[in-house]
Amino acid sequence: MMRTSRFRLPSRLAAIAGVALLALTGCTNDPLADQYREGSGKGYIAGDGSWTEIPAVERDEPVEFAGVDQNGDEVTSDDFAGEVLVVNFWYAACAPCRAEAPDLVELSGQYEGQGASFLGVNVRDQADTAIAFDETYGIEYPSIIDTNDGAVKLAFSGSVPPNAVPTTLVLDAEGRIAARIVGQIRDASILDTLIRDTIAESEE
């Protein structure tokens, strides 16, 4: 059964306890759509930090993507074959993106060489802006500059669309989407749990 939550959860135990059926969400208003219609001009549609974990038997096909990062290097899904990949959709002027950057830096360092890699997908900026952002927050993993054609965002939209910025996806070792956090990462322990769960699958 797919697991989802809209609460700020401080630990793995609380995260697992706070589950709800996705089917129920269809009975409520869509806050992302409401924000879009609002037209406030803030430049992003903010999610609420809710997370979804997808059981292995319910995952779609592996996502294949390719692009060029902020340093001009080609990046493809093949580069991460056999390992868990955390994909974060962001851009520099997005306030929630700035707020969650320290958590992403901490976790990317924690998992370096430990079975998970990190990749940004910048949906609005050019390379120089992305590089400046990296320098400000100490980000060392690459970000694909997806501004011009949106090809990477499109590659993911058929499975679990990144319908808010930021959105963070966890891909399993086969390249399938295993988990998603919509909006700012409110607690690093949630993403940490999702990554560890996905790594553990490949070790079973």
Side-chain angles (χ1 to χ4, degrees):
M1 179 180 298
M2 190 177 299
R3 301 190 299 172
T4 185
S5 174
R6 293 184 181 274
F7 300 95
R8 181 176 180 177
L9 303 175
S11 67
R12 176 184 174 85
L13 181 60
I16 294 174
V19 297
L21 291 174
L22 282 181
L24 296 179
T25 63
C27 301
T28 62
N29 292 330
D30 183 347
L32 299 176
D34 291 343
Q35 289 181 61
Y36 180 81
R37 287 190 293 268
E38 172 193 340
S40 63
K42 64 186 177 183
Y44 61 90
I45 301 176
D48 57 5
S50 60
W51 58 265
T52 301
E53 192 170 25
I54 305 168
V57 296
E58 297 179 19
R59 293 172 195 164
D60 290 329
E61 294 298 312
V63 180
E64 297 182 358
F65 61 86
V68 176
D69 71 13
Q70 72 273 43
N71 299 312
D73 298 323
E74 185 177 4
V75 180
T76 77
S77 49
D78 291 341
D79 297 334
F80 306 99
E83 64 179 326
V84 171
L85 177 63
V86 180
V87 183
N88 177 254
F89 290 80
W90 69 283
Y91 64 93
C94 159
C97 302
R98 298 194 298 270
E100 70 178 11
D103 287 335
L104 291 167
V105 169
E106 180 180 356
L107 288 171
S108 64
Q110 175 182 324
Y111 281 101
E112 184 175 1
Q114 301 300 316
S117 293
F118 281 63
L119 175 68
V121 178
N122 190 300
V123 299
R124 190 165 296 187
D125 304 316
Q126 296 300 327
D128 56 348
T129 302
I131 290 172
F133 187 94
D134 291 346
E135 292 174 349
T136 298
Y137 291 97
I139 296 172
E140 297 185 355
Y141 55 83
S143 278
I144 291 176
I145 304 302
D146 202 41
T147 307
N148 297 327
D149 60 10
V152 177
K153 188 174 182 180
L154 180 62
F156 283 92
S157 66
S159 302
V160 182
N163 52 7
V165 177
T167 286
T168 303
L169 307 175
V170 180
L171 277 59
D172 64 19
E174 298 180 25
R176 304 174 302 170
I177 297 170
R180 178 182 70 171
I181 298 176
V182 177
Q184 180 184 335
I185 299 167
R186 300 292 181 178
D187 192 324
S189 67
I190 299 299
L191 180 55
D192 185 25
T193 297
L194 296 173
I195 296 170
R196 285 190 286 111
D197 284 353
T198 310
I199 292 174
E201 293 176 1
S202 61
E203 297 175 345
E204 293 177 354

